[in-house]
Amino acid sequence: MERYAPTIKDLAPRDIVSRCMVQEVAEGRGAGPNKDYVLLDCTHLGAEVLETKLPDITEFARTYLGVDPVYEPVPVMPTAHYAMGGIPTNVKGEVLSDNDTIVPGLYAAGECACVSVHGSNRLGTNSLLDINVFGKRSGNNAVEYAKTAEFVPLPENPAAFVTGLVDQVRTASGTERIGALRKELQDEMDRNAQVFRTDESLAKVTETIHELRQRYQNISIQDKGHRYNTDLLEAIELGFLLDLAEVVVYSARNRKESRGGHQRDDYPKRDDETYMKHTMAYLTGDPHSADAADHISLGWKPVVITNYQPMERKY
Amino acid sequence: MATAVAEGSSAAQAPAPIQAFTVTLIIRRFDPEKDAEPYWQDFDVELYATDRVLDALHKIKWEQDGSLSFRRSCAHGVCGSDAMRINGRNRLACKTLIKDLDISKPIYVEAIKGLPLEKDLIVDMEPFFESYREIQPFLIASDKPEKERIQSAAQRERFDDTTKCILCAACTSSCPVFWTDGQYFGPAAIVNAHRFIFDSRDEGAQVRLDILNDKEGVWRCRTTFNCTEACPRGIQVTKAIAEVKNAIMRGSADIPVSDLAPTPQRA
């Protein structure tokens, strides 16, 4: 790590550590028979620290890798861990439909939400902030809202959209399997939109998503029942995953700079002049149309700077 | 960049492929919409020694039979969703590796016992959570300090073991008393009561001891130790239950630590 973050070394933020790991492997210095991972050495911490301060991760290494971190280095590689974007909210947990319009009575908190406290990076304990601060605020504010809110008139059959979606997927009679489509989406997203991205890789995975969306029209599930239908659940979730993957890739392609967890090899520098702002993505057309540009429109939201002035990240 | 990774690895001398095995799983199926009774069904799956039983279930669901139903979430022993009976023992599917099972014989997989069967490997957890809620599994404290409530390392150690519970129900659904008496609180509820009874910051110990000093409370425990054996987190469940019994007898949670056997260090 000395070469990547000379001062804080192994304590560098996760986006940097992730990129180092992938880069070491890409340059042929990976470990193992396939040279496809790096080794994390924590033997210097000793048994007591590992057992008492890191008991879970120590046990994972033992259970799943057969490696005892007390005595040997652990094979590691980065993986998807957390979604940094999400449903835009304000600091009260109220959902926003654009930069500042509140959707009355709708709250979001946790990994589905994006309050934009940390911008484009996942730092240690981000999710504790989501739970303890914004979870509590959303809950308290929802209670306050509910005390005075009036019921709003509902359309004729308000559940029609959802029941229609569920029935359509449940009774679909195509030939594509959910498991196969999802695996391909995961593999291609890993390959082209993970810790390093280029316009070329993002264009490639855009094509993949488009093709998978078409194949998704031809799915079928085997469980046609109405109880605990996890086959149905996975099928519906895959539809949403495709939507989200498309938004992630489309937004990433539009941001021609590198910032936090978003690293563009073709634009390796951070560009505060142009991009010191949040990406907002709106659905503006038929989500199943071929070209993402036909149904996603992008906007920007200014960044609120408070105590900490932006500066170059030097570690 | 990931593409470059793949090319880089194939350019090196090809290592011997990892050996895969055909493993037979015999799974107890039940769909209340279709089946009058549960039945056993065989599946053959190609697996690696390092795969988990959960991987086998996924392969079946994703490649062979999408209707196979089971709960899972984190897939590494933290969320507590996939407790099931594997070869007659309660375990987490995500923490049971194929290499640790005898694959010369079929692997039997069925839902945990003692809770109403919903579908395949899914049971109704509601009675389990009802008992859990009854013991008031939250901090009861009247003061509102400005800052955090300070606790010494020794005070924390007093209930450290029972903080590890993930509410998977492996213990409660392995308990022969619970199988015959569904009203019994069960080990998991007592473990979670223990976690607060012996917490120096909590003021609700007596309330919980009273709740558990009941014919369906701790006295139903016959120290069979099934719970301790079943716990995927290695919690000394039977010991925790005994400590709660002891506290009820003394009428107080303040057991001198010197009176207790030292907690064995987990490997």
Side-chain angles (χ1 to χ4, degrees):
Chain A
M1 286 301 300
E2 290 81 358
R3 279 174 290 127
Y4 295 96
T7 317
I8 60 172
K9 298 175 191 157
D10 296 25
L11 295 175
R14 333 176 163 197
D15 63 309
I16 294 177
V17 177
S18 298
R19 286 195 288 274
C20 303
M21 293 158 85
V22 171
Q23 194 164 334
E24 285 298 301
V25 167
E27 289 171 6
R29 291 187 293 274
N34 292 321
K35 295 179 184 283
D36 57 357
Y37 55 82
V38 301
L39 290 166
L40 171 66
D41 184 359
C42 31
T43 54
H44 61 289
L45 295 177
E48 201 187 325
V49 171
L50 289 169
E51 304 289 0
T52 55
K53 299 209 166 151
L54 300 161
D56 286 336
I57 200 78
T58 301
E59 192 193 304
F60 296 156
R62 288 179 183 140
T63 305
Y64 299 113
L65 300 171
V67 166
D68 190 337
V70 175
Y71 304 107
E72 11 168 20
V74 185
V76 287
M77 273 306 269
T79 182
H81 170 62
Y82 180 86
M84 282 177 292
I87 303 163
T89 73
N90 59 21
V91 292
K92 296 168 79 179
E94 293 166 320
V95 171
L96 301 173
S97 61
D98 56 31
N99 284 6
D100 33 44
T101 311
I102 292 164
V103 183
L106 185 58
Y107 297 82
E111 201 170 334
C112 72
C114 180
V115 198
S116 296
V117 179
H118 295 99
S120 58
N121 218 341
R122 170 56 156 99
L123 305 173
T125 69
N126 271 182
S127 50
L128 284 179
L129 180 80
D130 283 342
I131 297 167
N132 289 337
V133 177
F134 295 108
K136 185 170 182 182
R137 284 187 179 195
S138 308
N140 287 343
N141 289 324
V143 168
E144 283 309 309
Y145 175 84
K147 280 181 183 163
T148 55
E150 297 291 334
F151 288 107
V152 294
L154 289 173
E156 187 69 15
N157 186 353
F161 173 76
V162 175
T163 51
L165 170 76
V166 169
D167 276 339
Q168 190 196 339
V169 175
R170 197 173 58 82
T171 56
S173 56
T175 51
E176 295 282 0
R177 291 197 78 115
I178 300 303
L181 296 191
R182 186 180 46 223
K183 179 84 172 70
E184 200 169 323
L185 177 65
Q186 290 169 329
D187 289 350
E188 290 304 307
M189 285 296 282
D190 265 2
R191 205 162 286 149
N192 297 301
Q194 205 201 26
V195 297
F196 288 104
R197 301 155 163 188
T198 62
D199 190 65
E200 195 191 342
S201 76
L202 295 169
K204 193 161 171 284
V205 72
T206 302
E207 284 296 305
T208 309
I209 294 168
H210 172 54
E211 185 208 312
L212 289 173
R213 272 178 173 287
Q214 286 181 316
R215 289 171 63 191
Y216 184 72
Q217 301 299 309
N218 183 38
I219 54 164
S220 67
I221 57 171
Q222 286 163 291
D223 192 339
K224 306 289 187 192
H226 292 83
R227 287 172 67 103
Y228 277 98
N229 193 333
T230 53
D231 208 12
L232 173 65
L233 180 72
E234 289 189 13
I236 292 174
E237 281 177 349
L238 176 62
F240 296 152
L241 268 184
L242 285 163
D243 293 346
L244 281 177
E246 192 178 51
V247 170
V248 166
V249 171
Y250 192 67
S251 308
R253 222 177 151 188
N254 186 55
R255 187 176 276 277
K256 297 179 174 61
E257 63 152 357
S258 293
R259 179 181 296 273
H262 167 71
Q263 177 75 24
R264 288 278 303 254
D265 267 7
D266 41 359
Y267 300 97
K269 286 265 178 275
R270 193 173 91 193
D271 176 2
D272 283 354
E273 195 91 337
T274 324
Y275 293 109
M276 173 77 97
K277 49 196 180 183
H278 302 293
T279 302
M280 299 287 279
Y282 301 89
L283 176 67
T284 50
D286 172 13
H288 302 297
S289 61
D291 191 349
D294 293 338
H295 57 262
I296 300 175
S297 88
L298 296 181
W300 303 104
K301 181 179 168 184
V303 174
V304 182
I305 307 283
T306 52
N307 291 347
Y308 298 96
Q309 292 305 308
M311 57 175 93
E312 197 190 338
R313 296 174 72 206
K314 274 195 205 151
Y315 299 103
Chain B
M1 289 307 286
T3 314
V5 178
E7 282 163 6
S9 56
S10 59
Q13 77 277 27
I18 303 165
Q19 197 188 350
F21 305 87
T22 302
V23 178
T24 302
L25 278 90
I26 304 185
I27 302 176
R28 192 164 184 260
R29 305 291 308 267
F30 177 62
D31 180 351
E33 289 186 279
K34 287 196 282 197
D35 309 320
E37 288 292 325
Y39 63 96
W40 294 91
Q41 187 179 5
D42 297 19
F43 295 95
D44 285 344
V45 202
E46 285 282 297
L47 295 171
Y48 298 113
T50 50
D51 278 336
R52 304 155 293 186
V53 170
L54 180 63
D55 295 308
L57 297 174
H58 275 150
K59 283 197 93 168
I60 295 168
K61 185 174 185 65
W62 294 339
E63 295 166 18
Q64 299 184 35
D65 183 352
S67 74
L68 179 66
S69 304
F70 50 93
R71 288 195 182 97
R72 88 282 184 268
S73 184
C74 79
H76 60 278
V78 177
C79 76
S81 303
D82 65 349
M84 49 190 78
R85 259 168 95 83
I86 299 166
N87 285 344
R89 270 190 61 192
N90 277 9
R91 319 178 62 151
L92 297 181
C94 61
K95 279 187 87 172
T96 308
L97 271 63
I98 297 302
K99 69 178 172 60
D100 298 325
L101 298 170
D102 175 5
I103 55 167
S104 67
K105 290 185 237 159
I107 300 168
Y108 286 84
V109 184
E110 62 190 302
I112 48 177
K113 288 168 67 168
L115 289 161
L117 184 59
E118 285 284 349
K119 186 176 178 181
D120 293 345
L121 303 173
I122 299 174
V123 296
D124 179 5
M125 296 282 282
E126 197 42 41
F128 173 81
F129 286 120
E130 219 168 278
S131 297
Y132 170 64
R133 283 191 292 267
E134 262 182 73
I135 55 88
Q136 308 190 18
F138 41 80
L139 187 81
I140 300 174
S142 51
D143 59 325
K144 285 201 172 150
E146 290 284 299
K147 290 182 165 183
E148 67 270 36
R149 297 179 171 86
I150 305 291
Q151 187 165 57
S152 72
Q155 286 171 324
R156 176 62 171 69
E157 177 61 29
R158 182 68 195 83
F159 62 98
D160 181 67
D161 201 36
T162 46
T163 63
K164 293 176 185 141
C165 176
I166 54 172
L167 297 169
C168 67
C171 60
T172 296
S173 65
S174 74
C175 173
V177 178
F178 183 76
W179 292 339
T180 53
D181 175 9
Q183 297 303 305
Y184 171 43
F185 274 87
I190 302 171
V191 159
N192 284 280
H194 180 285
R195 182 251 169 273
F196 288 100
I197 289 169
F198 297 101
D199 185 335
S200 59
R201 300 164 298 185
D202 187 275
E203 296 162 14
Q206 203 51 53
V207 179
R208 299 193 187 87
L209 292 175
D210 287 345
I211 293 170
L212 292 172
N213 186 14
D214 182 274
K215 76 179 169 64
E216 303 298 353
V218 287
W219 309 116
R220 272 277 182 272
C221 170
R222 296 290 187 273
T223 55
T224 316
F225 281 89
N226 275 18
C227 50
T228 304
E229 269 174 46
C231 180
R233 303 280 290 172
I235 300 172
Q236 298 298 310
V237 183
T238 315
K239 177 169 180 263
I241 297 173
E243 288 177 6
V244 175
K245 288 178 178 171
N246 200 335
I248 292 174
M249 294 303 287
R250 288 166 177 266
S252 160
D254 307 326
I255 303 171
V257 176
S258 57
D259 275 14
L260 299 161
T263 307
Q265 283 299 307
R266 292 204 292 142

